Amino acid sequence: MADRITVTLHELVAELDLYADDYLQRHHGISFNLFETLAVLVEKAPIDITGLARCLRITKAAVSKRLPHLISDGWISASPGQGRQIILAPSEQTIALVRDAGGELEAHFAAMLADPRVTAAPGAVSPTTLNNQLSALTDIVIEKGQRT
């Protein structure tokens, strides 16, 4: 563990991503990268390419490059919007995958938070409190970033 919270949080997120990728590959045959794309789509749909790119923190070109594969594999549908806009929506298969695999990952992460090394740690907080604090911190970082 690092002495700085920024490094510790980065290490935690990196390890959670690796864990999720391994779990999703073994149990659902998909990468975490694909799951993240689909989960954002389910959460934000209907959404256009620009909006999806912004949510995923990637370029519009990167989203556009993935589209043919995502459409042909039945993960999403695309329809014309206003002007040159393309509106994306998840398939029923995608909604079911995100619900099921997301629920499984959530259960695994909740079990990790219930580990005695976490619950008995000095200053331990409940998973709900931790989630609320991290959500608030995320909002603060976003707000601060918009001012600079």
Side-chain angles (χ1 to χ4, degrees):
M1 179 179 83
D3 291 333
R4 295 182 315 190
I5 192 168
T6 53
V7 175
T8 301
L9 285 172
H10 179 75
E11 290 173 347
L12 173 61
V13 170
E15 291 301 325
L16 286 171
D17 287 353
L18 289 171
Y19 179 90
D21 189 64
D22 180 62
Y23 181 87
L24 291 167
Q25 290 282 356
R26 284 187 290 117
H27 296 278
H28 296 279
I30 64 166
S31 68
F32 179 67
N33 188 303
L34 175 58
F35 179 80
E36 181 181 28
T37 299
L38 300 177
V40 167
L41 184 61
V42 167
E43 178 79 21
K44 302 293 185 177
I47 190 169
D48 67 1
I49 293 172
T50 302
L52 184 59
R54 189 177 307 115
C55 289
L56 294 171
R57 301 163 314 281
I58 60 176
T59 65
K60 287 176 19 181
V63 170
S64 295
K65 187 175 181 178
R66 293 180 186 179
L67 280 183
H69 172 70
L70 294 171
I71 293 168
S72 67
D73 286 351
W75 294 115
I76 67 168
S77 63
S79 57
Q82 294 181 328
R84 296 176 35 172
Q85 189 180 44
I86 297 173
I87 304 298
L88 307 173
S91 67
E92 291 301 318
Q93 165 192 353
T94 297
I95 293 168
L97 173 80
V98 169
R99 179 192 64 232
D100 296 345
E104 293 165 16
L105 285 173
E106 194 76 19
H108 283 268
F109 294 154
M112 290 176 199
L113 287 170
D115 185 292
R117 291 171 289 179
V118 175
T119 60
V125 296
S126 73
T128 301
T129 300
L130 177 61
N131 188 56
N132 290 340
Q133 290 173 332
L134 292 174
S135 293
L137 182 58
T138 300
D139 291 343
I140 292 166
V141 170
I142 290 168
E143 289 168 11
K144 295 276 185 191
Q146 292 172 350
R147 290 187 206 148
T148 58

